[in-house]
Amino acid sequence: MVDNVNTYGERVSRLVGWGHWFSFFNIIAAMLIGTRYITQSPWPETLLGQFYLAASWVGHFGFLVFALYLLVLFPLTFIIPSRKLFRLVAVCFATVGLTVLLIDTQAYQTINLHLTPVVWEVLFSDESSNISADLQHLFIVLPLIFLLQLALSEWVWRKQRKLSHKHVGRPIAALFFISFITSHLIYVWADAHFYSPITAQKANFPLSYPMTAKSFMERHGLLDRDEYLERLEQSKGDAELVQYPLERIEFNRRSNPLNILVVSINNLRSDALNAESMPATYQFAQNNLSFNNHFSSSNDSYGVFGLFYGLPSSYSSSIQTQGSRPILIDTLKEKEYQFGLFSGDNFDEPLYGETVFRGMNFTGIAFNDRTSADSQAIDAWANWATEQGKNPWFSYLELTTVDNFSAYPTTQAQTAAEKLKEGYFESVSEADNEIAQLLQKIAELELSESTVIVITSNHATEFNESKTNSWGSNTNYSRYQLQVPMIIHWPGTVAGEYQHRTSHLDLSVTLLQDLLGVSSNPSDFSSGRNLFDESKRRWILAGDARELALITNKNTTVIDKFGNYKLYDQDYHRLKDQNPTLPVLMQGLTELQRFYVKSN
């Protein structure tokens, strides 16, 4: 029904004034709800960081709400002839907006992500019952928000003239405008100077896209490119803090102080461990514990990170920055284990010295050309083991023969692919000879009854079995690049084969629980579980610094840190028209954030 009390121009003018004040009070409401983001984010340690937080809080929500008013409600002012109908539309719009904001705060608190279509689907799936129930409780307040908005609408309409006579509108608008501009200018400077107390706040608020202007600053002489690149190199170590472990480790189980020898035959895929290619290692597997469905935690050298830390590789940069050693290593140190660390390339991979074995002494080997580097590493290990007294010891032995498979000569291969495969299996046979040498040394030193021996690999290698033009490693998360051997000799146990799916993330849990007496819940210090736990698991975790792969019996879901995903079938072919199982996606998103510190 058309309102004929005033002329069209007067009615529009009054509705525009009402809309400004209605938006202002909704800005205040949005800011109050937005305090949830602040409480769930790390508190800036510097005064400038705190000032930026306050300025961005005021400026961002002021801009966000007023921009939505200008884009949606302001045009409707000229279209909807009835002021009562227009106010009702505005009330409904504000109610929906604040409700969505509340849901976003809950998503940020739960999985540290803002709402996207994928996150929305995950949060409200029927199968994600616990989180979905918590979120659906928010809809209980929707009628209350609607009633409050109705009351606010009526109150602003009645008090509009009095509010206008106070002449506070322009100062308030100026405050929001100055806060918005100031926060972006501060971020421009912080981004150019890698000032982490400010840049770490980039994703605190929803729809927040702070301005950067490095190219503009460089063109106008405000930024020195060489100095910037130097700071960029220095800042690569900056990362979010990780709480590892989440709770204090408890020791209420009986410990068994056996020696531990972990052997990594780098680049060894699980199906290469067979009677033909690796007879000595295969026989060792038959006489001990063999986990035949085992996956590395990464498709590159960071599989070793998961092996010792029990965490996905996405945490590696933060762990390195903090200087945190694996809980397994620290526990062994506390129990006065001796350490012997040996490698066929003297630990050329920085991961060892900078992260896994940080601050520990490696046994450097002066290699010669008489035998292979791995054979010399095994001899050096045997000499070290001979010198150990009664104290238990831990030793890590890295064999790198299979890493260099492309250097092995081929005789029968015709194509490049055939040459690669033939060279690979030649190197595998050489690695088996070295394992036979190692097992002989163990027998001579009579260590079998006092030593847990683990033989595995950091990752596998692919020869385009997935038909995606993938060769080698670090190109996808197919089983051809992730499935590796896991053989364990455990004194006092009966030989057996296990077919349930296991992961590199499980080894540290197993040693801590069954050997070192840890009684804490594995979820407090790992993303894995005990290797001998044969209960059904929904997924196996793998990934790198950028992505997380969740591998189920049917498919593989690859998720990045922003919540974007891709789905692949068992042969690692892209499934573009299907969605992943929502509980799996939810758990993956949670696991990406679970160990990060949320507040200081």
Side-chain angles (χ1 to χ4, degrees), residues 97-356:
L98 292 182
T99 302
V100 170
L101 184 62
L102 272 172
I103 295 172
D104 188 79
T105 62
Q106 191 70 17
Y108 186 78
Q109 178 179 341
T110 306
I111 57 177
N112 209 31
L113 291 172
H114 294 293
L115 284 179
T116 65
V118 173
V119 173
W120 181 278
E121 189 177 5
V122 168
L123 294 176
F124 290 102
S125 68
D126 293 335
E127 297 171 332
S128 302
S129 55
N130 293 335
I131 296 174
S132 179
D134 291 341
L135 283 163
Q136 288 169 4
H137 289 158
L138 293 177
F139 286 110
I140 297 174
V141 303
L142 192 149
L144 177 61
I145 295 175
F146 179 75
L147 293 175
L148 290 174
Q149 291 287 344
L150 276 178
L152 176 64
S153 168
E154 183 64 25
W155 184 83
V156 171
W157 184 260
R158 292 178 182 275
K159 300 293 183 180
Q160 182 179 346
R161 295 185 186 277
K162 186 177 292 187
L163 290 169
S164 299
H165 290 157
K166 292 183 180 296
H167 302 292
V168 295
R170 289 184 179 180
I172 291 173
L175 173 64
F176 286 122
F177 179 76
I178 291 172
S179 297
F180 179 77
I181 296 298
T182 300
S183 65
H184 280 269
L185 290 177
I186 292 175
Y187 192 89
V188 166
W189 172 86
D191 179 63
H193 291 81
F194 301 97
Y195 189 70
S196 59
I198 290 175
T199 56
Q201 301 180 47
K202 180 179 181 179
N204 279 10
F205 300 131
L207 300 176
S208 176
Y209 305 100
M211 182 170 61
T212 60
K214 291 187 285 290
S215 298
F216 175 85
M217 295 173 70
E218 184 181 345
R219 283 198 304 269
H220 291 80
L222 301 175
L223 179 66
D224 183 270
R225 181 173 181 79
D226 293 335
E227 184 181 349
Y228 170 79
L229 293 175
E230 182 179 347
R231 286 197 301 266
L232 175 63
E233 187 65 28
Q234 294 173 350
S235 71
K236 287 182 178 178
D238 292 344
E240 296 178 78
L241 293 178
V242 171
Q243 185 176 345
Y244 172 73
L246 295 174
E247 303 290 344
R248 183 179 178 181
I249 300 297
E250 301 290 337
F251 295 85
N252 295 319
R253 300 174 67 171
R254 179 179 296 177
S255 61
N256 187 11
L258 296 172
N259 304 320
I260 305 171
L261 170 61
V262 178
V263 182
S264 175
I265 310 173
N266 288 356
N267 209 26
L268 181 65
R269 48 190 284 164
S270 61
D271 58 4
L273 180 53
N274 55 60
E276 181 180 350
S277 300
M278 302 187 74
T281 313
Y282 179 80
Q283 187 61 47
F284 181 77
Q286 295 298 302
N287 295 333
N288 290 284
L289 308 173
S290 182
F291 296 84
N292 296 333
N293 199 7
H294 185 85
F295 290 78
S296 174
S297 56
S298 183
N299 59 4
D300 58 18
S301 60
Y302 275 74
V304 175
F305 177 87
L307 191 71
F308 284 97
Y309 282 93
L311 298 177
S313 300
S314 57
Y315 291 101
S316 59
S317 61
S318 296
I319 289 288
Q320 179 184 341
T321 300
Q322 292 176 208
S324 303
R325 276 198 301 260
I327 291 171
L328 173 63
I329 298 298
D330 282 343
T331 302
L332 291 169
K333 277 183 164 290
E334 291 172 6
K335 292 185 176 292
E336 298 183 345
Y337 270 64
Q338 305 297 313
F339 286 84
L341 308 174
F342 303 84
S343 170
D345 62 8
N346 280 330
F347 294 106
D348 185 57
E349 171 62 55
L351 169 66
Y352 292 105
E354 296 176 0
T355 309
V356 178

Side-chain angles (χ1 to χ4, degrees), residues 537-551:
R537 66 198 306 170
R538 287 185 170 180
W539 38 258
I540 291 289
L541 278 178
D544 58 19
R546 306 176 307 277
E547 297 173 321
L548 184 72
L550 295 111
I551 303 152

Side-chain angles (χ1 to χ4, degrees), residues 334-515:
E334 291 172 6
K335 292 185 176 292
E336 298 183 345
Y337 270 64
Q338 305 297 313
F339 286 84
L341 308 174
F342 303 84
S343 170
D345 62 8
N346 280 330
F347 294 106
D348 185 57
E349 171 62 55
L351 169 66
Y352 292 105
E354 296 176 0
T355 309
V356 178
F357 299 132
R358 185 170 184 156
M360 301 174 67
N361 295 324
F362 299 151
T363 302
I365 304 169
F367 295 117
N368 56 58
D369 296 332
R370 289 192 294 272
T371 58
S372 71
D374 284 352
S375 291
Q376 294 173 65
I378 291 170
D379 288 338
W381 171 84
N383 293 333
W384 172 85
T386 303
E387 298 170 357
Q388 302 311 303
K390 295 183 178 180
N391 285 337
W393 49 260
F394 170 90
S395 187
Y396 180 74
L397 178 59
E398 181 189 34
L399 304 182
T400 60
T401 292
V402 186
D403 273 338
N404 304 312
F405 69 90
S406 59
Y408 278 74
T410 57
T411 57
Q412 300 177 357
Q414 300 296 322
T415 66
E418 290 174 344
K419 289 180 180 179
L420 281 176
K421 291 194 74 170
E422 185 177 335
Y424 180 81
F425 282 98
E426 286 292 331
S427 69
V428 164
S429 295
E430 178 61 26
D432 185 65
N433 294 332
E434 292 161 353
I435 290 294
Q437 174 190 349
L438 173 63
L439 297 176
Q440 180 63 34
K441 298 286 186 182
I442 291 172
E444 292 173 359
L445 295 171
E446 299 180 347
L447 295 174
S448 294
E449 298 303 316
S450 60
T451 306
V452 173
I453 304 169
V454 179
I455 298 179
T456 187
S457 180
N458 54 357
H459 60 80
T461 196
E462 180 182 358
F463 297 100
N464 198 32
E465 288 92 346
S466 62
K467 306 301 180 185
T468 56
N469 198 30
S470 295
W471 302 85
S473 59
N474 198 24
T475 56
N476 64 45
Y477 299 103
S478 67
R479 64 180 182 272
Y480 309 108
Q481 297 189 31
L482 292 176
Q483 202 162 352
V484 297
M486 174 57 74
I487 307 163
I488 300 180
H489 166 77
W490 200 298
T493 60
V494 179
E497 294 188 8
Y498 294 87
Q499 304 302 330
H500 65 285
R501 290 185 302 152
T502 56
S503 165
H504 266 17
L505 305 179
D506 303 338
L507 179 66
S508 60
V509 173
T510 306
L511 295 176
L512 285 165
Q513 287 187 330
D514 296 353
L515 200 66

